[in-house]
Each structure stands twice: as C-alpha cells, then as structure tokens.
Amino acid sequence: MAIIKCPECGHQVSDKAPTCPSCGVEISGKVVRCHQCGAIYFVEHDACPICSYPNTQQKRGNAASVPPPVPPTENQPQNEVSQPKKPEKKSHYGIWFFSILMAAVTCGVLFYFYHTAKDSKEADAYNYAITSEDPLVLQSFLDTYRDANTNRRDSVKARLTAIQQAARDWEDACASRSKTTIQKYLEKYPNSAHKGEALNKIDSIDWEKAKNLNTEQGYEEYLKEHPSGAHVDDADEEIKNLRMKYLQPEENTMLQSLFRRFFQSANARDEEAMKASLADVLQQFQGEKNVPAAKVASFMRRTNWRVMGDYKIAKKPTETDEAEYDVKFTVVQEDGSEAQKNPSKYFVETKVNSEGLIVEMNMSRIVE
C-alpha cells in the first residue's frame, strides 16, 4: 500500500482506497504510475499526461480482459458482439458549485461585518465631532469620511461654520476693547469657551475706568458691578486711601459738633463737659505746651463765646493709617450785655486727634 496523489483533485490518498475521500473518484485498480516520470494517472489513458510515455499496463490489462466470443442467440444477430462496459466517471460539477456557493457566502459575511464595523466607526467619529468645540476635529471628520451619511456631513459642516463665525466674533470683540461689544458677544454666545476670559476683560475695563476717575464713587461702582472681581481688594484699598486723604461728610459733621459742644459747655460754665472734648493734656494751648485739660476749661469758662461757623478743615493721615484734623474758625467773645457794640473776634487754630479730642488750641485776636 502506498500513498499517492489523487489524479483528479490532487489530495493524498491510499492506492488501495476504493475512492478518493475528497472528490469521490475511483482509485483502487483505476490508476497507474508512469514508469518514465512517476506521475499518477488513470489507467484508461493511453499515455502519461505529463511526459506522454505509453501506458503499457493498459495494453496488458486490455488483452487479459477480452472475453471469449459468445455464440449469438436466436434473437441476436451474429455480427453483434457485446462490448464490455467502461466504468462510469462521477460528475464533479456539484462539488465545484458547492465550493463556489460557500465562497460567495463567506465573502458576503465578511463584507457585512466590514460594512458594519465601518459604519460603527463613522458613528463614533460623528458623535465625537458634533460635540467638539475644536474646528480641527470637525474638519478632520469631513476629510476622513467623505462618503459619510449626507445628514451627518451637513450637520458637521453647519457646526463648523458656526464655530468659525463665533471665533471671528470673539476676535472682533477683543480687538474693540469695548465693554458693550464684549457684553453683546456673551449675549450671543452664553456658553462660549471664552466666557471666563470675556468676563475678565469686562472686569479690567471697569477697573481701568474706576482708576481714571479715582473717586470713592467710582470705586464703589466697580465693587457693585464686580463683587468678586479681580480688583476688589485694590478698590477697597483705594477707597480707604481716598477717605484718609479727603474729608468725609461724616467727619465734617463730627468736628463741627465737637466745637459746638465745647463752646456751649464754656458758656454754661460746665468744666466737666468741656474736658470731655479735650485730651487729658493738650500739646499746646495759647503758646504754652503740655497744658492740662482742667486749666484750659478754667480759662474758657470766664466769658461767653459764639462760634461763627466758618470752618476750614484739613485732614492729615498718620503713620498708623489714622487721621488728624487741623481746624480753623472764628469765634466772637461776648459779655452778655445788649450794649456791647464791637465784640472781640478771635481766630482759633486747633488740632483734633483720631479719637475726636482737641489736642491743641491757640486763639489770636483779630484787629479790625
């Protein structure tokens, strides 16, 4: 027994096998090996199909297989001789048809999975692009999926156009340096990626305006518009500096009330009330230094005084971020009689500390 190649399909098969298990052709006794080249072919061939060497085995087989003449029967003509039947060769068309059908089905299945995978990849790319704010991502989708679904391409194109327009509007708003233009941009694009930057630009514009005004009202307006702005601390500091530098209405009221109470107490001969408006020791009084408050009250109670109300107040900041005040005004000395025609006038120069107490007082008579 030897292993040979089936001359029909080429698959390996035993030379003793009745038929080829692959294609079904008969093998045992039906094939011969060429003595010249060793090729296996069907015994019915006259010569080797490879090298054309004559098939000697066929001749021997034919001679041995010729049957003796059979006398004709009564119903059979004498000249009619029965011929041996050749073995029927099986048809291979069914095998080829089945192979082609299987190949077609396989290609169809592969094409289906390929198309499904491609569509899934395209859908993922579309979902990513349509939610992106990056124009490069959108353009990449259009360049990569040129044969994509028309609705998808149109949606991506529309979004790309909108993002590009928004980018141009942002550039115009930045170039304008106008608060109104930037606010219009935010109204048009409330969810813009540049929203934070736009708000910072408005904050800077309002702060620059407040700095140029350099008024308490200007800084307070900034704080009202930007309670959490980048310059809140700066605005508070500037307001504090302005209030330290310039006399505030409440300070003016406080100082006038201080001197009105002091001179009213003098007219009432109330030394305790006068001392309540004085520091314990005045730095200077009528040219004398370090004068006790009691001595000042005793001096001022001797006569009546009338404050003219012509205050001139200068505010001076101190090293401790507090304020002192230089207050100048005129008073009239009265004796309480109706016959007094030309009462004496005095020019009063005082200094008030940050606690609202008089620390210096000098009075000089005005000669008219």
Side-chain angles (χ1 to χ4, degrees), residues 95-108:
I95 297 174
W96 285 108
F97 177 78
F98 179 76
S99 300
I100 293 172
L101 178 62
M102 289 300 296
V105 171
T106 302
C107 290

Side-chain angles (χ1 to χ4, degrees), residues 92-258:
H92 304 299
Y93 293 112
I95 297 174
W96 285 108
F97 177 78
F98 179 76
S99 300
I100 293 172
L101 178 62
M102 289 300 296
V105 171
T106 302
C107 290
V109 171
L110 292 176
F111 177 77
Y112 170 78
F113 283 110
Y114 167 77
H115 182 74
T116 302
K118 181 182 177 183
D119 187 66
S120 177
K121 184 178 180 181
E122 176 189 316
D124 291 342
Y126 169 77
N127 291 332
Y128 176 70
I130 204 67
T131 57
S132 174
E133 296 288 341
D134 189 347
L136 295 179
V137 173
L138 294 162
Q139 188 62 53
S140 176
F141 175 87
L142 295 175
D143 294 340
T144 304
Y145 300 96
R146 296 182 182 275
D147 58 345
N149 179 281
T150 303
N151 291 335
R152 289 178 177 174
R153 286 185 61 85
D154 290 344
S155 297
V156 171
K157 286 180 181 179
R159 181 161 179 78
L160 178 59
T161 300
I163 290 177
Q164 290 172 338
Q165 181 61 50
R168 288 191 293 269
D169 290 344
W170 172 243
E171 292 176 358
D172 293 342
C174 292
S176 71
R177 291 187 58 81
S178 167
K179 178 180 178 180
T180 302
T181 303
I182 297 175
Q183 286 176 330
K184 288 182 179 179
Y185 170 84
L186 289 176
E187 291 173 0
K188 187 175 181 181
Y189 306 102
N191 298 320
S192 170
H194 301 290
K195 182 176 181 179
E197 189 177 353
L199 293 175
N200 288 337
K201 286 183 178 294
I202 293 175
D203 182 279
S204 297
I205 290 172
D206 285 347
W207 174 245
E208 185 176 351
K209 178 182 177 181
K211 287 288 289 182
N212 290 335
L213 291 173
N214 196 30
T215 62
E216 185 175 343
Q217 182 179 359
Y219 291 122
E220 287 178 345
E221 185 67 24
Y222 169 82
L223 292 173
K224 180 180 178 181
E225 292 288 333
H226 307 277
S228 301
H231 303 282
V232 168
D233 292 340
D234 296 331
D236 288 337
E237 185 65 23
E238 292 297 334
I239 290 174
K240 180 180 177 181
N241 292 337
L242 287 173
R243 288 179 175 176
M244 187 63 63
K245 183 177 180 180
Y246 299 104
L247 186 68
Q248 302 302 306
E250 61 271 17
E251 293 174 314
N252 182 62
T253 301
M254 179 271 293
L255 292 169
Q256 292 192 31
S257 298
L258 171 68

